[in-house]
Amino acid sequence: MPVEFLGIAATNDGSETTPRSGAAFDKEYTLRLARAHEDHGWDRVLFAYGSGSADPAPAAAYVASRLDRLGILLAHRPNVSYPTFAAKTFATLDRISEGRLTVHFITGGNDHEQGREGDFLTKDERYARTREYIRIVKKIWTTHEAFDHEGEHYRFHDFVSDVFPVQQPRPGVSFGGSSAAAYAAGGAEADIYCLWGEPLAETAEQIEAVKAAARTAGRTDVPRIQVAFRPIIAPTEELAWEKAHRTVGAIRERREAGLVRHHRRGTRESPENTGSQRLIAIAEAGERYDRALWTPTAAATGGSGNSNALVGTPETVAQALLDYYDLGVDILSARGYDLLGDAVDFGRYVIPIVREEVAKRDAERTARGTLAAVR
């Protein structure tokens, strides 16, 4: 199966290790970073969402209008807009990008972060709302006649959009989470299911949980699986590990100096979302797993988001990614700490190795199939 690479479309150059040097939305840097991904073999980039961050939709439109090939993964929280409005926004962006849009729907794992924008539903209520929201958006994308909707969270009458996506029948839907409620919602509705990087055994268990949820929802297909890591690469193993320890030191220094904003509840000591809880538990159980997985980066951030690292030479990290590919992961998400420099290095030195090895695996699989058919 083909493999795809997802990078980050940050709107400024700040990261967990360095402060940003300019505005929250640095137009020149945003385009420069996206172009670096397009020029170095990446398939798409994520425009993330935060309560106080630059709006990802116009930022994505800006990039899409200036680049020719790079795909867009747009993060969206259902609480910030009505689904009729959002569906038109997404369809317009798919038009601007000429069919390069995927939408990542975020239910929200932290009550205080959701409350910053007026969302006070419980977590279970948020998951129910997200499922309803996704279904409405899908219907708007594909329905050319006016319809009514009477649901638990949304109600409208006689709506039909006049703008439709380029992609047929619709753009892809991406979803993530590590709780039973997340598996149920994403297993039912997602085209792509996103996981944070965990050891191989735990990742295999999560993949099976997603597949089971899809079957329970009555699907005959299953979502594609995406897994996210923070690669730390260098020309030698020794240099890579030195770089890894410097990285963790920088993360801890910034957090201890109070330069990273925390939620008032659900702090790094006790995160609310299951995914972060899992990352912390894995870090407490050990620092190194499998071929190259390293957990101190996740521990240093309190399991905040995509935070487990893959450490080593490009060859080592590529082989580690191939281990996940062999589990059934066909979208590999990677984001370094020097956003621009790491995107270039990863694209130059890791992506080609993975693509070459995947092509070999696919060719061998095809050959075995052909031989079996002849026999």
Side-chain angles (χ1 to χ4, degrees):
M1 59 183 176
V3 64
E4 296 182 6
F5 288 91
L6 171 71
I8 190 69
T11 58
N12 61 72
D13 61 355
S15 76
E16 296 93 331
T17 60
T18 56
R20 72 182 190 227
S21 62
F25 179 54
D26 181 334
K27 185 170 70 171
E28 288 72 23
Y29 181 85
T30 300
L31 182 58
R32 185 182 176 197
L33 179 61
R35 182 169 284 125
H37 282 85
E38 181 170 84
D39 290 345
H40 291 90
W42 299 78
D43 295 286
R44 62 172 67 90
V45 289
L46 166 66
F47 284 83
Y49 189 93
S51 59
S53 302
D55 187 347
Y62 168 69
V63 167
S65 67
R66 285 158 176 80
L67 299 181
D68 299 323
R69 301 182 307 278
L70 192 65
I72 301 298
L73 178 58
L74 179 70
H76 180 77
R77 288 182 184 167
N79 61 290
V80 300
S81 68
Y82 214 73
T84 50
F85 176 84
K88 294 184 296 179
T89 300
F90 304 148
T92 303
L93 182 52
D94 198 55
R95 287 278 156 187
I96 292 170
S97 67
E98 299 181 332
R100 289 177 279 149
L101 175 70
T102 303
V103 182
H104 180 66
F105 291 91
I106 303 173
T107 298
N110 182 282
D111 290 344
H112 183 66
E113 168 66 5
Q114 294 300 120
R116 284 173 171 154
E117 293 189 285
D119 184 13
F120 298 102
L121 297 185
T122 67
K123 190 173 183 179
D124 286 345
E125 290 170 336
R126 293 199 297 267
Y127 273 114
R129 178 183 62 191
T130 299
R131 292 182 72 163
E132 183 178 347
Y133 196 98
I134 292 173
R135 290 170 180 165
I136 292 170
V137 169
K138 286 179 178 178
K139 187 169 183 178
I140 292 171
W141 281 342
T142 57
T143 301
H144 292 258
E145 296 181 358
F147 66 96
D148 301 338
H149 179 82
E150 297 279 350
E152 179 182 359
H153 296 279
Y154 302 102
R155 177 185 180 190
F156 55 86
H157 299 292
D158 196 37
F159 180 82
V160 63
S161 178
D162 194 35
V163 55
F164 291 90
V166 170
Q167 296 177 78
Q168 294 298 315
R170 57 173 176 77
V173 167
S174 171
F175 189 90
S178 297
S179 66
Y183 298 146
E189 300 296 337
D191 303 301
I192 299 169
Y193 199 97
C194 307
L195 302 170
W196 289 334
E198 295 187 4
L200 291 165
E202 285 80 357
T203 300
E205 291 172 357
Q206 290 208 80
I207 292 172
E208 288 307 310
V210 173
K211 290 180 177 179
R215 290 191 295 269
T216 299
R219 292 178 61 169
T220 56
D221 63 337
V222 295
R224 299 173 65 193
I225 302 297
Q226 171 185 305
V227 178
F229 302 97
R230 305 301 293 271
I232 300 175
I233 62 173
T236 68
E237 296 292 331
E238 181 180 7
L239 289 173
W241 284 104
E242 289 177 1
K243 182 178 178 181
H245 288 288
R246 287 198 307 272
T247 298
V248 167
I251 293 172
R252 289 172 177 160
E253 182 179 343
R254 282 180 54 76
R255 291 177 74 85
E256 290 168 2
L259 300 175
V260 178
R261 186 181 187 189
H262 300 300
H263 301 301
R264 294 176 189 169
R265 295 185 298 277
T267 65
R268 57 177 172 168
E269 289 79 18
S270 57
E272 295 174 13
N273 64 301
T274 304
S276 292
Q277 292 169 5
R278 289 174 64 98
L279 293 186
I280 291 173
I282 289 167
E284 290 175 345
E287 287 194 356
R288 295 180 66 170
Y289 292 85
D290 306 319
R291 195 187 300 266
L293 190 72
W294 195 55
T295 65
T297 47
T301 64
S304 177
N306 170 24
S307 50
N308 268 340
L310 292 177
V311 182
T313 64
E315 292 77 12
T316 295
V317 170
Q319 291 302 320
L321 291 170
L322 286 162
D323 291 339
Y324 287 89
Y325 175 82
D326 290 338
L327 288 182
V329 177
D330 65 343
I331 304 176
L332 299 168
S333 174
R335 171 166 58 101
Y337 292 94
D338 171 8
L339 299 179
L340 181 59
D342 287 343
V344 172
D345 287 346
F346 189 89
R348 282 177 173 167
Y349 303 119
V350 178
I351 289 178
I353 297 174
V354 176
R355 290 200 191 280
E356 181 179 355
E357 289 299 319
V358 166
K360 288 180 181 178
R361 283 166 165 74
D362 290 347
E364 290 169 358
R365 190 178 298 111
T366 299
R368 287 195 299 268
T370 301
L371 182 59
V374 170
R375 290 178 177 175

